[in-house]
Amino acid sequence: MEKIDKQEYDDILSLIKREVVPAMGCTEPIAVSLATAKASEVLGTVPERVTVYLSANILKNAMGVGIPGTGMIGLPIAIALGAICGKPEYGLEVIKDSTPADIERGRQMIADKRITVKLKQGSCDKLHAEAVCEADGHTATAVISGNHTNFIYIALDDHAILDKHSGTAGSDSTGRLNLTMSKVYEFASTAAPDDIAFIMEAAKLNMKASEEGLSGNYGHRFGKLLISDKKNYLMGNSLYSKVLSYTSAACDARMGGAMVPVMSNSGSGNQGIAATVPVVVYARETGKSQEQLLRALTLSHLTAIYIKQSLGRLSALCGCVVAATGSACGLTYLMGGKYCNVAYTVKNMIANITGMICDGAKPSCSLKLSTGVSTAMLSSLLAMEGECVSSVEGIVDDDVDKTIKNLTKIGAVGMNETDKIVLDIMTDK
């Protein structure tokens, strides 16, 4: 095992705290709402007109998702609420204070055709949201790039208040560390419990989202179906079905526009759900201790963060592949697995669901999350038997870190053309 010195320990802890944060609604339209809210704040008044310029990946992930508390789908209402009542200091919870009156004003703003959405032309980061707000002869601009809250440019008329374009546009600002799977496991298994206790907030928020999904009627109601009498003949009332049900239900609620925050991972609420809920349900159902749950959640979230560092914020690869790999490691830990079992788990996951496409944020994401966490449980069970996919099979390498790099190379480079085709299909319907 690789040892971690005090500085590296502190850096990893800070990294988790930066990447595991609350978010209200799908993070792509919310990032656009955040950019609009900042531009509106700089303008000093509710804008008469808003024009946003977005990267293709932002458009893809924002077209079909419900906006919390509005009963509406897609970007226009997210932009309108950002302009009318958004609070930039809330970050990814920018519109959490919106009222029915604000939503009605937003509907009118859309009806009056005061909002324009355009594809950003030219080179830009896959995560790029540029909001231009106009009123009383003045123009304010705010640009987010690289990650969902990273402002690189803010200006009023011709006066730049913030300008990080030079040399920083397109960077993801994640504070990338030289992580390995061994270091991830070492940190999760040895960190002081008090230092990582904050991760329990992820359990609290994401399980509350699960409960909302199970009690309400959101999206395809897939989570509810999995614990209904209709499915008992197929899967029974098992731990397996509960893990799938609670995970899917949280996604149902989030993608369906429930007014509940979730704890995100690497800028994605669905990734936060997939990295959290399976681990919590398994620990609860098998009577694991608080410390065991703390460490398993830390392992899960840090594994996902590690993989995302080389994959990037947005890609053609569905984020559930990454987050479910994290939760699989957490499950293996709760099953009593050691580092070798965790490494086997990662290889089993990558051998199985690498290549699942991202075709935007939408209600059916709950189906993909259920696929991811189902694979997580199967991969953990296999790893606990001392079995893993070998290096003579496909993209798996003897070295687990090289295996992860193979996954991220496929997602970040190999699937770029897939990303373009997916967007063409989505925008041509």
Side-chain angles (χ1 to χ4, degrees):
M1 295 296 298
E2 295 181 77
K3 295 300 179 183
I4 301 172
D5 62 28
K6 179 62 167 62
Q7 184 59 57
E8 197 165 25
Y9 179 96
D10 291 342
D11 288 344
I12 292 172
L13 190 60
S14 296
L15 176 64
I16 301 173
K17 289 181 177 180
R18 286 197 305 274
E19 297 294 343
V20 181
V21 297
M24 179 73 77
C26 177
T27 48
E28 276 70 62
I30 295 301
V32 181
S33 185
L34 177 59
T36 306
K38 174 55 76 173
S40 182
E41 178 183 75
V42 170
L43 190 63
T45 186
V46 174
E48 297 165 4
R49 174 166 293 280
V50 181
T51 304
V52 299
Y53 302 87
L54 308 176
S55 61
N57 286 76
I58 287 280
L59 279 172
K60 180 180 73 173
N61 276 1
M63 290 169 63
V65 67
I67 305 304
T70 68
M72 299 175 70
I73 289 174
L75 282 164
I77 190 63
I79 294 167
L81 291 178
I84 292 166
C85 63
K87 293 183 173 61
E89 62 270 22
Y90 288 171
L92 293 178
E93 296 181 285
V94 59
I95 59 171
K96 71 177 182 179
D97 287 348
S98 58
T99 65
D102 294 326
I103 294 167
E104 188 54 41
R105 289 176 67 193
R107 290 177 187 273
Q108 190 60 51
M109 193 174 191
I110 296 166
D112 292 341
K113 301 187 184 305
R114 292 162 55 193
I115 294 170
T116 303
V117 179
K118 295 184 177 183
L119 177 67
K120 175 70 176 177
Q121 300 299 316
S123 177
C124 69
D125 193 89
K126 288 186 176 182
L127 197 166
H128 181 97
E130 179 177 339
V132 179
C133 294
E134 302 171 71
D136 303 324
H138 296 284
T139 300
T141 303
V143 180
I144 286 173
S145 182
N147 75 47
H148 296 78
T149 59
N150 182 44
F151 285 96
I152 64 166
Y153 185 76
I154 302 170
L156 178 61
D157 296 326
D158 295 326
H159 173 65
I161 300 167
L162 172 73
D163 188 354
K164 297 194 292 182
H165 275 110
S166 178
T168 62
S171 67
D172 63 8
S173 301
T174 58
R176 192 168 284 148
L177 300 180
N178 184 28
L179 290 173
T180 63
M181 201 61 223
S182 176
K183 288 181 181 179
V184 168
Y185 179 85
E186 177 71 9
F187 179 88
S189 58
T190 63
D194 286 348
D195 287 345
I196 56 175
F198 68 90
I199 205 74
M200 288 304 295
E201 187 65 16
K204 177 182 175 183
L205 288 181
N206 293 351
M207 289 304 293
K208 185 175 181 181
S210 293
E211 292 161 7
E212 179 68 22
L214 291 172
S215 62
N217 288 298
Y218 297 99
H220 299 293
R221 304 186 299 278
F222 188 53
K224 293 183 76 169
L225 173 64
L226 290 173
I227 59 167
S228 70
D229 292 339
K230 294 179 181 179
K231 64 82 194 168
N232 279 339
Y233 76 95
L234 183 63
M235 291 193 296
N237 187 28
S238 64
L239 173 55
Y240 177 75
S241 63
K242 288 179 182 177
V243 168
L244 267 61
S245 173
Y246 277 86
T247 304
S248 301
C251 185
D252 286 333
R254 179 173 178 265
M255 294 289 94
M259 200 67 174
V260 291
V262 301
M263 192 65 81
S264 65
N265 181 294
S266 304
S268 167
N270 281 348
Q271 287 171 197
I273 289 169
T276 303
V277 176
V279 178
V280 176
V281 174
Y282 185 92
R284 182 182 67 187
E285 294 293 317
T286 56
K288 301 302 179 183
S289 70
Q290 177 91 341
E291 182 174 339
Q292 287 173 311
L293 175 56
L294 274 177
R295 297 197 183 283
L297 284 173
T298 301
L299 178 59
S300 176
H301 278 277
L302 187 54
T303 298
I305 292 167
Y306 167 40
I307 298 172
K308 287 291 286 186
Q309 282 194 147
S310 53
L311 178 63
R313 285 295 209 231
L314 299 178
S315 75
L317 186 71
C318 179
C320 83
V321 175
V322 175
T325 299
S327 64
C329 294
L331 292 170
T332 298
Y333 182 89
L334 291 175
M335 292 177 187
K338 304 302 181 186
Y339 174 69
C340 63
N341 304 106
V342 169
Y344 285 179
T345 299
V346 172
K347 293 180 183 182
N348 292 340
M349 287 292 294
I350 291 173
N352 194 335
I353 56 172
T354 294
M356 182 186 288
I357 64 166
C358 171
D359 53 345
K362 58 207 174 304
S364 60
C365 285
S366 63
L367 304 178
K368 294 190 176 186
L369 259 64
S370 69
T371 297
V373 299
S374 172
T375 305
M377 297 196 76
L378 299 177
S379 296
S380 296
L381 289 172
L382 188 63
M384 288 304 294
E385 291 297 313
E387 294 287 342
C388 79
V389 176
S390 70
S391 61
V392 299
E393 303 174 68
I395 64 170
V396 172
D397 193 280
D398 285 329
D399 185 306
V400 66
D401 297 296
K402 288 183 180 178
T403 303
I404 288 171
K405 290 297 188 292
N406 293 342
L407 164 70
T408 59
K409 185 177 181 181
I410 289 169
V413 180
M415 294 178 71
N416 277 336
E417 190 61 29
T418 299
D419 215 14
K420 295 175 186 176
I421 293 171
V422 167
L423 185 65
D424 285 345
I425 291 170
M426 291 175 65
T427 56
D428 196 40
K429 290 191 291 184

